[in-house]
Amino acid sequence: MCGIIACVGSDDAADTVLTGLENLEYRGYDSAGVAIQNGTDLVVRKRAGKISELTGGFVRDLPEGVSGIGHTRWSTHGPPTDENAHPHTSASGAVAVVHNGIISNYEALRSELETAGYAFESDTDTEVIPHLVEQYLTQGLDSDEAFRRAIDRLEGSYAIAMMIEGENVVRAARQGSPLVVGLHDDAYYLASDVPAFLEFTDEVIYLEDGDIVTAESGSISITNLAGDPISREVDVVDWDPEETGKGEYDHYMLKEIESQPESLSNTIRGRIDPDEPAVRLEGFPAGCFEDVSEVHFVACGTSYHASLYGARLLDEANVRVRTSRASEFTGRVPDPEGTLVVAVTQSGETADTLGALRAAWSAGADTLAVTNVVGSTMAREADDVLYIRAGPEIGVAATKTFSSQVVTLALLAERLTEDIDGAIRRDDLGSYLRHLSVLPDQIEEVIRTSRAEALSTKYEDRNAYFFIGHALQHPVALEGALKFKEITYEHAEGFASGELKHGPLALVTPGTPVFALFDGKHDEKTHTNAKEAQARGAEIIAITASERTAEFADDVLVIPDTHPDLSGLLANIQLQFVSYYTARRLGRPIDKPRNLAKSVTVE
């Protein structure tokens, strides 16, 4: 959610920090600020609003220092105001801090500091940190010890970066909130996410909870709270910096929709052999799942819909399976020794999903992370990890990562059925994998031929939009509705086809658009319920490979013929286009929808 960027050893820290902030805009924010050290003074500029307002206004006179910190804030404690924007400073202005996360004991700390005579200028939990550091400095502690002592007082989750006036040093700490280090010659970067500094370096260190960082030009150290040195591996990120730019596109979302042939090819590459036929997942040899008797998916939002897709595939293979929203997962695992808990998250940092993973691990279950980000907290904490290999996704609304998650879970389902006792393997595995191998080409065909833009014009001024599908099309209907409401701000709901008549049909009025998803296998329920809605005046938009199936429909979005278990991935592309073009016609901020963030790192 909030974003941190820091640098030390840069030729122009102000420009570097501002560039990093712009790269972090996709995370969602309502205010921003910077602090730059010019060698003697610490200059702070911050305000509510967009980064463009920072760069076009009062940052013009920032010094060309060699170290700086910056922040994009997502309001938790206090509204989005200039006073609540980060960085926050101590009473003297000598200490500046940026912080992601929540300090759960801040009220007690604030009361203690106010009693000691410290005045607070904001409503945030963050402001206790610079006051604590200054308090320890006035007691005679050096900067390192004052920072450690302050960190030791904090409870909750945090990623923190701090600067002290007169020192070209950035100090940082991580506990429960992501923070990564970038290295390039004598310069160092700290950020919430790799894209913040990817154009400067691809060498990174993923920090872990409890790590304390001290960085200055030409030198960096990582220790624990006690000051003991810690060694962390340097990784090379294989993302191309151009992948994090919009290029010729107006929006990241459109770029990422249209990049799905490539991202899905990466997801599939080396993992399937239609001729044998076989699914081979790196790191999961034959027999590794033979002790599994039940699979339990935990996820949030789009990842939850992908999990529903994977769970349906396992259910049809006679595998005991459950799916829980991570925020509702209690940690109860009836058979810990036989349960595999699969945590699905694009970022690998989603707080609710991390909490569910840790609860499952504490209960004694084996855990597997399905994620997009190498080195993420989820990837490190789970017993095993399976990467979706979708590449960086910048738009807040997940697009290419949903399709890569679904395909990864589909492959995982096939591997699980090989090992799990009583599972029923596909008798058409070769055909299934051949269809999967050409799926990227079929998505390219949908991108080239879609009529979604014209449809968005026809149906843009309606009060509500409904999406229905049966079996594997149901999670795609849910995802289609989620995308639509996320970026258009219009009311949209997804339902299992058979459920429309059990209440939601009361909301259907003349002219209500109902998007009906057909897969060629489970079409009867969808057809019957779409016709019933149409009889009440709804206008039916069918997404199908066979126009004969949908002769009754008012409009049709055609998808290529494929295996019924994969058709939802083609229908999903059409629904993503419908959402995108509708939002564009309505003038919505597509890549940064209001109130939403790319990575939700607080519970």
Side-chain angles (χ1 to χ4, degrees):
M1 295 177 76
C2 300
I4 285 175
I5 178 66
C7 68
V8 60
S10 170
D11 292 335
D12 185 350
D15 184 65
T16 300
V17 169
L18 288 170
T19 298
L21 288 181
E22 290 170 347
N23 292 341
L24 286 170
E25 283 191 286
Y26 71 94
R27 292 174 67 92
Y29 69 103
D30 49 45
S31 56
V34 299
I36 303 298
Q37 174 66 251
N38 67 358
T40 56
D41 297 322
L42 190 59
V43 180
V44 176
R45 299 284 188 271
K46 61 179 184 174
R47 65 174 295 172
K50 299 302 182 184
I51 291 166
S52 59
E53 297 169 5
L54 282 169
T55 55
F58 55 77
V59 298
R60 291 174 180 167
D61 60 345
L62 279 173
E64 293 187 0
V66 297
S67 57
I69 56 177
H71 189 266
T72 54
R73 177 176 185 253
W74 182 266
S75 299
T76 53
H77 293 77
T81 64
D82 292 356
E83 292 77 14
N84 288 334
H86 296 216
H88 288 287
T89 57
S90 60
S92 68
V95 180
V97 168
V98 292
H99 159 237
N100 293 351
I102 294 177
I103 306 301
S104 55
N105 65 332
Y106 90 97
E107 290 180 335
L109 293 172
R110 179 168 178 147
S111 178
E112 173 189 315
L113 288 162
E114 286 176 331
T115 300
Y118 288 87
F120 283 75
E121 297 181 356
S122 77
D123 305 310
T124 70
D125 54 338
T126 303
E127 197 179 351
V128 300
I129 304 170
H131 289 316
L132 278 172
V133 172
E134 184 159 274
Q135 184 181 56
Y136 292 126
L137 289 172
T138 60
Q139 293 173 3
L141 299 182
D142 64 28
S143 299
D144 284 337
E145 188 58 30
F147 183 62
R148 293 177 191 280
R149 189 75 65 88
I151 296 300
D152 192 37
R153 297 289 309 279
L154 305 180
E155 297 175 8
S157 65
Y158 50 79
I160 295 168
M162 182 196 77
M163 296 174 61
I164 294 177
E165 188 175 74
E167 301 179 12
N168 278 314
V169 180
V170 174
R171 294 175 176 84
R174 173 201 161 128
Q175 182 65 44
S177 194
L179 197 60
V180 61
V181 175
L183 307 88
H184 181 68
D185 296 333
D186 290 336
Y188 301 96
Y189 309 87
L190 288 116
S192 310
D193 206 354
V194 171
F197 55 66
L198 189 57
E199 63 196 86
F200 303 116
T201 182
D202 60 358
E203 294 186 0
V204 302
I205 296 172
Y206 295 98
L207 299 177
E208 299 187 14
D209 285 352
D211 286 358
I212 305 288
V213 176
T214 304
E216 53 189 313
S217 182
S219 172
I220 189 169
S221 66
I222 304 175
T223 66
N224 61 18
L225 191 61
D228 302 319
I230 293 174
S231 177
R232 294 280 180 243
E233 184 178 350
V234 178
D235 291 317
V236 176
V237 178
D238 61 359
W239 292 350
D240 186 333
E242 291 187 6
E243 289 186 81
T244 62
K246 283 187 291 194
E248 62 186 15
Y249 290 90
D250 293 332
H251 299 98
Y252 284 110
M253 184 178 180
L254 182 59
K255 176 186 177 183
E256 288 158 1
I257 291 172
E258 296 193 356
S259 72
Q260 285 176 95
E262 179 182 358
S263 60
L264 267 185
S265 294
N266 292 333
T267 299
I268 297 167
R269 184 174 297 116
R271 290 174 165 176
I272 64 173
D273 184 345
D275 296 326
E276 188 170 338
V279 172
R280 302 186 182 96
L281 298 180
E282 62 280 5
F284 299 94
C288 67
F289 296 119
E290 62 185 11
D291 294 331
V292 175
S293 58
E294 180 174 335
V295 178
H296 197 142
F297 292 101
V298 291
C300 301
T302 289
S303 299
Y304 176 73
H305 298 154
S307 298
L308 291 174
Y309 204 113
R312 179 78 189 205
L313 291 171
L314 285 173
D315 182 67
E316 292 182 356
N318 199 41
V319 174
R320 282 167 45 199
V321 61
R322 290 191 287 173
T323 308
S324 296
R325 290 180 172 86
S327 59
E328 297 294 319
F329 181 65
T330 63
R332 191 178 75 85
V333 182
D335 178 19
E337 293 185 1
T339 300
L340 175 67
V341 174
V342 181
V344 185
T345 161
Q346 187 281 133
S347 67
E349 304 291 350
T350 308
D352 289 318
T353 311
L354 275 168
L357 179 91
R358 290 163 179 163
W361 183 86
S362 297
D366 288 334
T367 58
L368 168 63
V370 176
T371 185
N372 193 37
V373 182
V374 176
S376 60
T377 302
M378 189 76 72
R380 295 196 306 270
E381 292 194 8
D383 295 319
D384 292 292
V385 60
L386 180 59
Y387 292 107
I388 69 171
R389 305 196 302 206
E393 184 177 69
I394 305 302
V396 167
T399 51
K400 66 177 182 174
T401 55
F402 174 73
S403 57
S404 287
Q405 283 176 334
V406 168
V407 169
T408 302
L409 294 179
L411 297 177
L412 176 62
E414 295 306 316
R415 266 300 289 113
L416 287 165
T417 59
E418 289 181 28
D419 292 350
I420 294 176
D421 186 38
I424 301 173
R425 298 204 64 195
R426 288 180 180 273
D427 56 11
D428 66 343
L429 182 60
S431 172
Y432 178 66
L433 295 181
R434 278 190 289 275
H435 280 99
L436 184 57
S437 68
V438 299
L439 190 63
D441 294 332
Q442 291 185 314
I443 289 177
E444 185 69 52
E445 182 181 343
V446 174
I447 292 169
R448 189 177 65 253
T449 62
S450 177
R451 294 181 53 249
E453 184 172 6
L455 273 177
S456 70
T457 303
K458 180 177 178 180
Y459 295 105
E460 71 172 293
D461 292 320
R462 307 302 168 89
N463 293 326
Y465 300 78
F466 296 103
F467 300 75
I468 62 172
H470 182 61
L472 287 170
Q473 300 287 17
H474 174 220
V476 178
L478 295 176
E479 176 62 13
L482 177 61
K483 283 292 146 298
F484 199 88
K485 69 182 75 174
E486 277 182 318
I487 65 167
T488 70
Y489 307 161
E490 300 298 315
H491 179 72
E493 295 293 340
F495 301 100
S497 297
E499 287 299 301
L500 196 62
K501 59 184 175 291
H502 294 290
L505 196 59
L507 299 174
V508 172
T509 59
T512 299
V514 176
F515 292 84
L517 283 63
F518 296 91
D519 64 6
K521 180 181 178 182
H522 302 101
D523 290 347
E524 184 178 347
K525 286 183 184 293
T526 302
H527 185 277
T528 299
N529 286 273
K531 289 281 289 183
E532 190 169 357
Q534 192 178 48
R536 272 77 178 170
E539 295 186 68
I540 306 301
I541 303 97
I543 297 92
T544 178
S546 172
E547 294 194 55
R548 267 187 321 186
T549 303
E551 288 177 339
F552 73 98
D554 297 279
D555 282 293
V556 177
L557 290 171
V558 178
I559 59 174
D561 188 30
T562 186
H563 192 286
D565 290 354
L566 300 173
S567 66
L569 288 159
L570 297 172
N572 176 62
I573 305 298
Q574 294 282 24
L575 296 182
Q576 289 176 350
F577 275 134
V578 168
S579 297
Y580 172 80
Y581 285 116
T582 303
R584 196 173 75 175
R585 288 190 62 81
L586 293 170
R588 308 301 192 213
I590 291 172
D591 288 331
K592 292 170 281 187
R594 68 187 181 202
N595 303 331
L596 300 179
K598 182 64 178 174
S599 180
V600 183
T601 56
V602 295
E603 294 186 77

